[in-house]
Coordinates of all heavy atoms in Angstrom, one line a residue:
E5 N -18.0 0.2 7.9 CA -17.1 -1.0 7.9 C -16.2 -0.9 6.7 O -16.6 -0.6 5.6 CB -17.9 -2.3 7.8 CG -18.3 -2.8 9.2 CD -18.9 -4.2 9.1 OE1 -18.3 -5.0 8.4 OE2 -19.9 -4.4 9.7
R6 N -14.9 -1.1 7.0 CA -14.0 -1.1 5.9 C -13.0 -2.3 6.1 O -12.9 -2.7 7.2 CB -13.2 0.2 5.9 CG -14.0 1.4 5.6 CD -13.1 2.6 5.4 NE -13.9 3.7 4.8 CZ -14.1 4.9 5.4 NH1 -13.6 5.1 6.6 NH2 -14.8 5.8 4.8
E7 N -12.5 -2.7 5.0 CA -11.6 -3.9 5.1 C -10.3 -3.6 4.4 O -10.3 -3.0 3.4 CB -12.4 -5.1 4.4 CG -11.6 -6.4 4.5 CD -12.3 -7.5 3.7 OE1 -13.4 -7.2 3.2 OE2 -11.8 -8.6 3.6
L8 N -9.3 -4.0 5.1 CA -7.9 -3.9 4.5 C -7.5 -5.3 4.2 O -7.4 -6.2 5.0 CB -6.9 -3.3 5.5 CG -7.2 -1.8 6.0 CD1 -6.1 -1.4 6.9 CD2 -7.3 -0.9 4.7
I9 N -7.0 -5.5 3.0 CA -6.5 -6.8 2.5 C -5.0 -6.6 2.3 O -4.6 -5.8 1.4 CB -7.2 -7.3 1.3 CG1 -8.7 -7.4 1.5 CG2 -6.6 -8.6 0.8 CD1 -9.6 -7.7 0.3
L10 N -4.2 -7.3 3.1 CA -2.8 -7.1 3.0 C -2.1 -8.3 3.2 O -2.1 -9.0 4.3 CB -2.4 -6.0 4.0 CG -0.9 -5.6 4.0 CD1 -0.4 -5.1 2.7 CD2 -0.7 -4.6 5.1
R11 N -1.3 -8.8 2.3 CA -0.4 -9.9 2.5 C 1.0 -9.5 2.1 O 1.2 -9.0 1.0 CB -0.8 -11.1 1.6 CG -2.1 -11.8 2.0 CD -2.5 -12.9 1.1 NE -3.0 -12.4 -0.1 CZ -3.1 -13.1 -1.2 NH1 -2.8 -14.4 -1.2 NH2 -3.6 -12.6 -2.3
V12 N 1.9 -9.5 3.1 CA 3.2 -9.0 2.8 C 4.3 -10.0 3.2 O 4.1 -10.9 4.0 CB 3.5 -7.6 3.6 CG1 2.5 -6.5 3.1 CG2 3.4 -7.8 5.0
V13 N 5.4 -9.8 2.5 CA 6.6 -10.7 2.9 C 7.1 -10.2 4.2 O 7.1 -9.0 4.6 CB 7.7 -10.5 1.8 CG1 9.0 -11.2 2.2 CG2 7.2 -11.0 0.5
A14 N 7.6 -11.1 5.0 CA 7.9 -10.9 6.4 C 8.9 -9.7 6.6 O 8.7 -9.0 7.6 CB 8.5 -12.2 7.1
H15 N 9.8 -9.5 5.8 CA 10.8 -8.5 6.0 C 10.4 -7.1 5.5 O 11.1 -6.2 5.7 CB 12.2 -8.9 5.3 CG 12.1 -8.9 3.8 ND1 11.8 -10.1 3.2 CD2 12.4 -8.0 2.9 CE1 11.8 -9.9 1.9 NE2 12.2 -8.7 1.7
W16 N 9.2 -7.0 4.9 CA 8.8 -5.7 4.6 C 8.2 -5.0 5.7 O 7.8 -5.6 6.7 CB 7.7 -5.9 3.5 CG 8.2 -6.2 2.1 CD1 9.6 -6.1 1.7 CD2 7.5 -6.6 1.0 NE1 9.7 -6.5 0.5 CE2 8.5 -6.8 -0.1 CE3 6.2 -6.9 0.7 CZ2 8.1 -7.2 -1.3 CZ3 5.9 -7.3 -0.5 CH2 6.8 -7.5 -1.6
P17 N 8.2 -3.6 5.7 CA 7.8 -2.8 6.8 C 6.2 -2.9 7.1 O 5.5 -1.9 6.7 CB 8.3 -1.4 6.5 CG 8.3 -1.4 5.0 CD 8.7 -2.8 4.6
Q18 N 5.8 -4.0 7.6 CA 4.3 -4.2 7.7 C 3.6 -3.1 8.4 O 2.5 -2.7 8.1 CB 4.0 -5.6 8.3 CG 4.6 -6.7 7.5 CD 4.3 -8.1 8.2 OE1 3.4 -8.3 8.8 NE2 5.2 -9.0 7.9
E19 N 4.2 -2.7 9.6 CA 3.5 -1.7 10.4 C 3.4 -0.4 9.7 O 2.3 0.3 9.7 CB 4.3 -1.4 11.7 CG 4.3 -2.6 12.6 CD 5.4 -3.7 12.2 OE1 6.2 -3.4 11.3 OE2 5.4 -4.8 12.8
A20 N 4.4 0.1 8.9 CA 4.3 1.3 8.2 C 3.3 1.2 7.1 O 2.6 2.2 6.8 CB 5.7 1.6 7.6
I21 N 3.3 0.1 6.4 CA 2.3 -0.1 5.3 C 0.9 -0.1 5.9 O 0.0 0.6 5.4 CB 2.6 -1.4 4.6 CG1 3.9 -1.3 3.8 CG2 1.4 -1.7 3.6 CD1 4.4 -2.6 3.2
A22 N 0.7 -0.8 7.0 CA -0.7 -0.9 7.6 C -1.1 0.5 8.1 O -2.3 0.9 7.9 CB -0.7 -1.9 8.7
A23 N -0.2 1.3 8.6 CA -0.5 2.6 9.1 C -0.9 3.5 8.0 O -1.9 4.3 8.1 CB 0.7 3.2 9.9
R24 N -0.2 3.5 6.9 CA -0.6 4.3 5.7 C -2.0 3.8 5.2 O -2.9 4.7 4.8 CB 0.4 4.1 4.6 CG 0.1 4.9 3.3 CD 0.1 6.4 3.5 NE 1.4 6.9 3.9 CZ 2.4 7.2 3.0 NH1 2.1 7.2 1.7 NH2 3.5 7.6 3.5
L25 N -2.3 2.5 5.2 CA -3.6 2.0 4.7 C -4.7 2.5 5.6 O -5.8 2.9 5.2 CB -3.5 0.5 4.5 CG -2.7 0.0 3.4 CD1 -2.6 -1.5 3.5 CD2 -3.3 0.4 2.1
E26 N -4.4 2.6 6.9 CA -5.4 3.1 7.8 C -5.7 4.5 7.5 O -6.9 4.9 7.5 CB -4.9 3.0 9.3 CG -4.9 1.6 9.8 CD -6.3 1.1 10.1 OE1 -7.3 1.8 10.2 OE2 -6.4 -0.2 10.2
L27 N -4.7 5.4 7.2 CA -5.0 6.7 6.8 C -5.7 6.9 5.5 O -6.6 7.7 5.4 CB -3.7 7.5 6.7 CG -2.8 7.7 8.0 CD1 -1.5 8.3 7.7 CD2 -3.6 8.6 8.9
L28 N -5.4 6.0 4.6 CA -6.1 6.0 3.3 C -7.6 5.6 3.4 O -8.3 6.0 2.6 CB -5.3 5.0 2.3 CG -4.1 5.6 1.8 CD1 -3.3 4.4 1.1 CD2 -4.3 6.6 0.8
C29 N -7.9 4.8 4.4 CA -9.3 4.5 4.6 C -10.2 5.8 4.8 O -11.3 5.8 4.4 CB -9.5 3.5 5.8 SG -9.1 1.9 5.4
D30 N -9.6 6.7 5.5 CA -10.3 8.0 5.7 C -10.3 8.9 4.5 O -11.3 9.7 4.4 CB -9.7 8.7 7.0 CG -10.0 8.1 8.3 OD1 -11.0 7.4 8.4 OD2 -9.1 8.2 9.2
D31 N -9.3 8.8 3.7 CA -9.2 9.7 2.6 C -8.4 9.1 1.5 O -7.2 9.4 1.3 CB -8.5 11.1 2.9 CG -8.6 12.1 1.9 OD1 -9.2 11.8 0.8 OD2 -8.1 13.2 2.1

Side-chain angles (χ1 to χ4, degrees):
E5 271 192 44
R6 294 189 169 119
E7 184 179 358
L8 298 179
I9 300 170
L10 180 60
R11 287 180 287 166
V12 297
V13 175
H15 64 271
W16 285 348
Q18 297 178 33
E19 294 81 8
I21 293 169
R24 177 68 62 91
L25 290 170
E26 287 288 341
L27 291 172
L28 284 164
C29 281
D30 290 331
D31 190 0

